[in-house]
Amino acid sequence: MIQQITVLGATGSIGQSTLDVIARHPDRYAVYALTAHSDVDTLLQQCLQFRPRYAVISSEADRDTLAARLAGSGVDTDVLSGAAALAQVAAADEVAVVMAAIVGAAGLLPTMAAVQAGKKVLLANKESLVMAGGLFMQAVRESGAILLPIDSEHNAIFQCLPQHKRYFDRAAGVSRILLTGSGGPFRALPLEQLAHVTPEQACQHPNWSMGRKISVDSATMMNKGLELIEACWLFDAGVDDIEIVIHPQSIVHSMVQFSDGSTLAQLGNPDMRTPIAHALAWPERMDAGVAALDFHRLAELSFSAPDEQRFPCLVLARQAFVQGGSAPAVLNAANEVAVDAFLQQRIAFTDIARINSEVLARAAFSEPATLSAVIEADLGARELARALI
Ligand code: NAD
Ligand code: MG
């Protein structure tokens, strides 16, 4: 039977990789809805190719432009705009699978709408889990949604965990999760040069091609910090159950260790189509368009401990998760504002960690009981971060 898919954030790096995989399997998947923030040209091309029932774009002006350009094309796509439309296409009855690939806090409400509707949710938008992990996982349990991680590390951990207990279960012999990270483009740069790096340098990731926000997060290693929090929620693990391991080649995507001394790892070329195809087909497997690893040509796989002096954002993320309450949401919001300011060349690279740290120091301890409380904490932190910039 053909499954209907909604791709939230279709025009981004993950969105485009998802459509590449889907296009290889027209016998299995059809596109129900595609969404984008403002990239009318890319969304138009995607609509012409995939003929979705709906396309959603943020502003009304872009909606009108896209609708006008689609008119007469022979493609019968309804163009909608705004936040309610995102939630609508994420939760529609016809939809079986939702790819949550909007970047940042903007992904929270549509991703939650998909979870609450009990969909199979492919989670790329780690920020929604960082912001509202408790509420998010509670909604997964209540709705019976199937949550599958797309983040390559979390997808690897999911693949290595015991098949019938995909969480940190000591009774099943799981003893440690090893979360790998490349260390980004500045892993070996002399520390005194960090303050002078440009957005272009920060976005030049040595192994992965990604959107600009996550690329900067990889350079500060805030990405690994967010992933630590993401892993704690996804796999019901404590921060001390997870060890971050620097692995510059990005071939081992993460590992799980067991009480008998075994370590299981998932390896592959650094191409997000692998975790995307894994999650789409799970529990089966299917072609992702990714070449298998050639071990005759793998010169070296190396591993080391992270340098916390170079990457203070790692320490901040661990602190925020341990502090709990709205601290992770506050840190995430401050980081989004700081990264944006760095990309606009309004602050230095090293200011990102400074702003994050100052905003986090003022975070409230109380657990946000509702999504509105999470969003309130997010908005407050953004205001504070902007004032510091
Ligand atoms: P991207 O910047 O390339 O794409 C982001 C998408 O979200 C675009 O389609 C954009 O139009 C949409 N979007 C942005 N702001 C929006 C808003 N305010 N409202 C509605 N839509 C909006 O980002 P990406 O690299 O594809 O990353 C997407 C998510 O996946 C992020 O949460 C990221 O952390 C996660 N992720 C990405 C990768 C990767 O390899 N790119 C790997 C792991 C996890
Ligand atoms: Mg990752």
Side-chain angles (χ1 to χ4, degrees), residues 26-361:
D27 51 325
R28 295 190 187 215
Y29 307 106
V31 177
Y32 178 79
L34 296 174
T35 86
H37 185 45
S38 58
D39 185 350
V40 174
D41 291 339
T42 306
L43 190 54
L44 173 68
Q45 288 313 314
Q46 293 179 336
C47 287
L48 295 176
Q49 184 180 351
F50 292 94
R51 304 175 155 262
R53 176 81 190 76
Y54 293 103
V56 183
I57 197 149
S58 292
S59 79
E60 291 180 9
D62 285 337
R63 177 197 63 194
D64 295 346
T65 309
L66 181 60
R69 290 174 66 184
L70 274 169
S73 68
V75 172
D76 191 19
T77 297
D78 280 344
V79 187
L80 312 173
S81 66
L86 284 179
Q88 177 195 321
V89 299
D93 285 344
E94 297 91 325
V95 173
V97 183
V98 175
M99 165 56 81
I102 291 174
V103 62
L108 176 61
L109 293 180
T111 305
M112 279 297 271
V115 168
Q116 284 161 348
K119 303 300 182 195
K120 174 169 166 176
V121 178
L122 277 41
L123 185 72
N125 176 237
K126 66 192 86 184
E127 294 92 343
S128 57
L129 205 45
V130 169
M131 292 174 73
L135 294 168
F136 193 105
M137 295 310 289
Q138 187 189 344
V140 171
R141 286 189 296 273
E142 286 172 2
S143 70
I146 297 173
L147 185 63
L148 293 165
I150 293 300
D151 218 339
S152 56
E153 298 78 2
H154 305 72
N155 186 268
I157 294 162
F158 182 91
Q159 293 195 46
C160 295
L161 282 168
Q163 271 194 26
H164 301 292
K165 297 184 170 182
R166 306 272 184 175
Y167 59 93
F168 193 87
D169 183 7
R170 283 194 188 274
V174 178
S175 61
R176 208 158 184 72
I177 289 173
L178 303 180
L179 180 67
T180 56
S182 69
F186 306 139
R187 181 176 54 85
L189 192 77
L191 274 184
E192 64 277 9
Q193 288 179 29
L194 270 186
H196 310 294
V197 300
T198 66
E200 293 327 306
Q201 290 170 313
C203 289
Q204 285 295 314
H205 195 280
N207 309 326
W208 296 96
S209 151
M210 309 182 284
R212 284 165 77 77
K213 191 261 179 181
I214 183 176
S215 295
V216 175
D217 284 349
S218 298
T220 60
M221 283 198 81
M222 176 54 88
N223 183 50
K224 212 47 58 182
L226 299 177
E227 290 185 356
L228 176 71
I229 298 175
E230 182 187 13
C232 288
W233 285 117
L234 277 174
F235 305 120
D236 198 16
V239 271
D240 297 330
D241 300 324
I242 302 175
E243 188 175 322
I244 293 170
V245 177
I246 300 292
H247 168 49
Q249 297 84 13
S250 301
I251 295 292
V252 175
H253 298 306
S254 278
M255 299 175 265
V256 176
Q257 293 187 315
F258 295 85
S259 52
D260 61 5
S262 299
T263 301
L264 296 190
Q266 188 260 352
L267 285 72
N269 282 309
D271 187 322
M272 290 306 292
R273 291 177 300 173
T274 294
I276 290 167
H278 170 266
L280 273 172
W282 184 83
E284 293 167 23
R285 297 268 180 179
M286 68 183 189
D287 173 36
V290 181
L293 278 180
D294 178 352
F295 279 83
H296 294 169
R297 294 176 64 180
L298 276 184
E300 186 189 18
L301 297 179
S302 56
F303 303 91
S304 59
D307 173 352
E308 295 193 338
Q309 193 195 342
R310 177 180 294 271
F311 299 116
C313 286
L314 259 185
V315 182
L316 292 177
R318 192 177 291 119
Q319 251 177 34
F321 185 75
V322 171
Q323 179 174 337
S326 53
V330 163
L331 177 62
N332 178 67
N335 183 60
E336 285 188 25
V337 172
V339 168
D340 192 51
F342 168 69
L343 284 171
Q344 293 176 35
Q345 297 184 287
R346 294 172 56 215
I347 59 170
F349 181 75
T350 41
D351 289 332
I352 299 174
R354 183 181 58 78
I355 288 165
N356 288 347
S357 164
E358 285 184 32
V359 176
L360 182 62

